[in-house]
Amino acid sequence: MLAELKGLNEECGVFGIWGHPDAAQITYYGLHSLQHRGQEAAGMVLAKDGKLTGMKGEGLVTEVFTAEKMKNLSGNAAIGHVRYTTAGGGGYENVQPFLFNFQSEAMALAHNGNIVNANQLKAQLEAQGSIFHSTSDTEVLAHLIRKGGFSDLKSRVINGLSSLKGAYAFLIMTETEMLVALDPNGLRPLSLGILGGAYVIASETCAFDIVGAEFIRDIEPGELLVINDEGIKSERFVMSSQRAMCTMEYIYFSRPDSNISGINVHTARKNLGKQLAVEKLIEADVVTGVPDSGNSVAIGYAEASGIPYEMGLIKNRYVGRTFIQPSQSLREQGVRMKLSAVRGVVEGKRVVMVDDSIVRGTTCKRIVTMLKEAGAKEVHVLISSPPIKNPCFYGIDTSSREELIASENSVEEIREIIGADSLTFLSVEGMVEAIGRPFEGENRGQCLACFTGNYPTEIYANEQSTTVIS
């Protein structure tokens, strides 16, 4: 669905490369391929001739890194970041990668995820004399590394990571090496690739396709990679881990051409649609998906049900970054600018409208209304995930139950609110089976916290009111 309107947003994407003379240009294309993970800010830090230099700014990748600015960027290694800003976390000072210049070394840091005990760690560090220059939880690791008390960077990083709770995919770079770390649950996706003799790291495998890199493997939960001119080394900084990949990566966040744990995202979404047909077969004339993530699901439902798939909703690709407006009338206009119903497809028809999730319900209600105003005789809403009843503390901006329509309303009550003729959510069991992750256990290595309330890590008391996330 339209992420900026529906209120479900991933916070960022990371990209890194070590050992390539065109590191800046490759990082630019890598970040561009990850633009869907964050449209509010972008940055990169490069290593060249024993020095780190950076450039960052608010805006899209093409806006921050213009052709003129790219002429001045060069190096044989780089880390980059794209970011979506949530309440309390905006401003230039929070744009990553962060670049720290110490007396003896320089260090750059990029992060995807959310540290759930960041407030506690900040309080401890400030009591010890640390001064924070941003409101992002990412900066916590930099202070922990600096205070680590070990002579080598790897040991200081491992020591710092041992204090963190939550979701994190970190890229850390100095003048001589790059370190890559994924949290013990593997909540966020992170993969390793190779381009010629250079190693590439990316939040999604679609970035490898764009830059011409070959996928090697996914980074393992609790794994630390050290990459330098001598090659690559891997070790575990946590010996025991419980896989809990964010399920919304498959349902909504990741690009359909990405693979996670060997599963193509588009294929997973088609399978979710097929499972919806098993659980709820509706008598209808056409099936249409809410762009973009709903399209793959709608195709799967259409194939399994035999109801024709049609493009009943069209997304306007040229609106730009016009986010939620302050008045109800402007919000309504914002939806119409970004999405249009195709009257010739839906008029007089019983329409199955397929989407990935319902968060607050406001946008879903507007789309149902839009279809009916275009002449749809009936609108039946199918959702390729269970009701989102619980907030996420791992890097998605739903931090309180009050924001979630399903936390206080039954399915029938939600149906009445959005004005649909019927409403069906996919079951938890059906969703897990349809995605088909190749791991054992009831959850198949997925985090289901937003659906079930069972969180894979400790959740700290003040997280309900926390608004500062990476």
Side-chain angles (χ1 to χ4, degrees), residues 385-406:
S385 62
I388 298 177
K389 298 180 178 181
N390 306 282
C392 176
F393 305 114
Y394 302 121
I396 303 173
D397 63 345
T398 55
S399 58
S400 68
R401 284 181 172 80
E402 290 74 20
E403 299 176 83
L404 307 173
I405 190 172

Side-chain angles (χ1 to χ4, degrees), residues 1 20 26 38 80 133 141 164 237 241 298 309 372 380 390 398 438 444:
M1 195 191 278
H20 199 289
I26 293 169
H133 299 283
L141 181 60
L164 304 183
F237 64 88
S241 62
Y309 168 79
K372 291 195 171 183
H380 300 273
N390 306 282
T398 55
R444 303 284 288 271

Side-chain angles (χ1 to χ4, degrees), residues 10 12 36-37 112 187-189 203-204 245-255 260 265 269 396:
E10 235 287 294
C12 48
H36 60 287
R37 300 186 73 87
N112 176 21
L187 280 153
R188 300 265 72 88
S203 289
E204 292 186 37
M245 165 66 68
C246 174
T247 300
M248 294 308 293
E249 292 287 351
Y250 290 100
I251 293 172
Y252 175 69
F253 293 128
S254 294
R255 269 179 42 161
I260 305 174
V265 172
R269 290 173 184 166
I396 303 173

Side-chain angles (χ1 to χ4, degrees), residues 99-223:
L99 177 56
F100 305 93
N101 289 294
F102 306 114
Q103 186 174 5
S104 58
E105 64 179 354
M107 181 179 69
L109 185 64
H111 170 213
N112 176 21
N114 187 40
I115 309 303
V116 298
N117 62 335
N119 290 342
Q120 290 79 7
L121 292 172
K122 281 184 178 180
Q124 296 171 15
L125 288 163
E126 286 178 346
Q128 298 169 10
S130 293
I131 299 174
F132 286 83
H133 299 283
S134 73
T135 55
S136 170
D137 60 351
T138 304
E139 194 179 348
V140 169
L141 181 60
H143 289 270
L144 291 172
I145 291 172
R146 191 60 183 166
K147 291 178 175 290
F150 295 92
S151 58
D152 64 295
L153 177 63
K154 184 184 75 171
S155 298
R156 283 183 281 142
V157 168
I158 292 175
N159 184 67
L161 293 173
S162 68
S163 299
L164 304 183
K165 304 293 183 182
Y168 54 84
F170 277 111
L171 299 187
I172 305 160
M173 187 171 71
T174 68
E175 302 94 332
T176 59
E177 60 186 341
M178 180 188 296
L179 283 77
V180 182
L182 185 64
D183 70 77
N185 298 107
L187 280 153
R188 300 265 72 88
L190 196 63
S191 297
L192 170 68
I194 192 166
L195 178 60
Y199 290 102
V200 185
I201 302 291
S203 289
E204 292 186 37
T205 61
C206 63
F208 297 154
D209 298 328
I210 295 298
V211 304
E214 178 186 351
F215 170 79
I216 297 177
R217 63 177 178 86
D218 293 321
I219 308 300
E220 292 293 314
E223 184 179 16

Side-chain angles (χ1 to χ4, degrees), residues 450-463:
C450 57
F451 311 119
T452 66
N454 297 321
Y455 295 93
T457 74
E458 300 94 330
I459 297 298
Y460 291 75
N462 63 347
E463 280 301 308

Side-chain angles (χ1 to χ4, degrees), residues 66-95:
T66 62
E68 188 63 30
K69 291 178 180 177
M70 287 298 295
K71 293 178 182 178
N72 300 319
L73 294 177
S74 62
N76 65 352
I79 62 173
H81 190 272
V82 290
R83 185 170 189 268
Y84 173 84
T85 304
T86 57
Y92 181 83
E93 69 278 5
N94 288 316
V95 181

Side-chain angles (χ1 to χ4, degrees), residues 262-304:
I263 298 171
N264 172 253
V265 172
H266 168 70
T267 301
R269 290 173 184 166
K270 280 188 64 178
N271 289 339
L272 291 169
K274 292 176 181 179
Q275 182 62 30
L276 273 169
V278 171
E279 297 187 11
K280 183 69 172 182
L281 195 58
I282 294 173
E283 291 187 8
D285 302 305
V286 297
V287 178
T288 191
V290 179
D292 288 311
S293 50
N295 290 340
S296 299
V297 185
I299 292 170
Y301 187 85
E303 287 183 2

